[in-house]
Amino acid sequence: MKSPAPTTNWFVITGAPCSGKTAVINRLEQMGYAVVHEVARAYIDAELAKGKTLEGIKADEWAFERHILMTKAKLEARLKPKDIIFFDRAVPDSI
């Protein structure tokens, strides 16, 4: 018998590029809510700061997507399900 999916107080802000997801997340954060910023953006920014190019970072698309998915999964595993948290994208966006 399958165990039921866990219930959380988490909300995912998702949508098309440039649709305002990050603006909504930033406003929620200003209002005092806990937020998780987009993992892919943080990773890309960190790699660009090391001197890599966007093409180089995404050269192996499978490895890039897997890294982002695993990072999101690890991050979400550390969060408390009862906390109200807003995500700028989340695991479902990487599947």
Side-chain angles (χ1 to χ4, degrees), residues 11-88:
F11 302 90
V12 178
I13 308 300
T14 189
C18 299
S19 62
K21 297 176 299 294
T22 301
V24 169
I25 287 291
N26 289 340
R27 181 66 181 122
L28 288 165
E29 187 173 38
Q30 290 171 353
M31 294 170 66
Y33 288 100
V35 302
V36 175
H37 293 278
E38 187 177 9
V39 171
R41 181 178 301 206
Y43 175 69
I44 289 169
D45 288 347
E47 294 300 298
L48 290 172
K50 294 177 187 175
K52 295 182 181 178
T53 65
L54 184 57
E55 294 78 21
I57 296 165
K58 291 185 168 186
D60 183 343
E61 189 174 351
W62 171 251
F64 172 78
E65 292 295 339
R66 186 176 192 298
H67 174 78
I68 298 304
L69 175 61
M70 299 312 298
T71 301
K72 287 178 185 179
K74 287 177 189 173
L75 177 107
E76 291 180 20
R78 295 191 313 255
L79 300 174
K80 296 176 184 172
K82 293 196 185 274
D83 289 350
I84 296 173
I85 305 172
F86 292 89
F87 292 81
D88 188 344

